[in-house]
Amino acid sequence: MPGAFAMGLLSPSTGRIYDKFGIRYLGIAGFALLTAGSIPFITLTHSTSLEFLTVMYLIRMAGAAMILMPATTASLNQLPRELIPHGNAVNTTMRQVSDSIGTALLVTVMSNVAAVSNSVTSADAKLQGINVAFFVAAALATSCKSTEQSLS
């Protein structure tokens, strides 16, 4: 819930920034926040506080808010007016497909790491799997930021 609230709160601001400066700065800042919000999840322990998790998740979602709608707007603006509804349908479909693939990838990483972990308890093995999955997520966000910078 806090992440959705943050995205809803930030979306009007990111829209104004997009109108003024374009997608480049929002994309760079968004992927930087997404990466910065993901890195602390690599070191989760059983004593990690709920407040810490909430703040880090808010940072990740702030980054997502700076990427999702502005990137969609920038890409749809490249289409002729009569193709925008089709472009929106393709974008929505591809977003759902890529979300599913990303989720499957990270759950697979988490499960495989937990399965081969030499940890003492099952809970420790699962936590190690979660940490590695967030490492992969942070690496992907970093590579997206690097790609976006090279394309701009």
Side-chain angles (χ1 to χ4, degrees):
M1 185 72 159
F5 181 72
M7 286 184 75
L9 199 62
L10 287 172
S11 288
S13 300
T14 59
R16 284 190 291 279
I17 294 169
Y18 171 78
D19 289 341
K20 193 169 188 176
F21 300 105
I23 187 64
R24 181 176 186 194
Y25 298 112
L26 280 171
I28 292 169
F31 279 115
L33 280 176
L34 193 58
T35 302
S38 296
I39 289 173
F41 283 96
I42 295 170
T43 60
L44 296 178
T45 66
H46 295 292
S47 62
T48 303
S49 72
L50 184 57
E51 293 80 13
F52 177 80
L53 292 173
T54 302
V55 169
M56 291 302 107
Y57 187 67
L58 283 170
I59 291 170
R60 292 185 82 233
M61 291 300 99
M66 296 174 82
I67 299 166
L68 293 176
M69 290 310 292
T72 300
T73 302
S75 62
L76 292 177
N77 282 343
Q78 302 301 308
L79 296 174
R81 191 167 189 79
E82 65 273 3
L83 292 180
I84 289 176
H86 298 291
N88 191 38
V90 169
N91 177 60
T92 301
T93 301
M94 293 308 297
R95 185 181 292 177
Q96 290 175 353
V97 169
S98 62
D99 286 349
S100 298
I101 291 170
T103 300
L105 170 74
L106 294 176
V107 168
T108 300
V109 167
M110 179 187 73
S111 299
N112 287 337
V113 169
V116 299
S117 176
N118 292 326
S119 297
V120 176
T121 67
S122 174
D124 289 339
K126 289 176 186 173
L127 187 59
Q128 188 176 5
I130 290 168
N131 289 343
V132 173
F134 271 105
F135 176 80
V136 171
L140 289 172
T142 301
S143 68
C144 288
K145 182 176 76 169
S146 300
T147 301
E148 197 279 332
Q149 286 173 331
S150 66
L151 291 176
S152 297

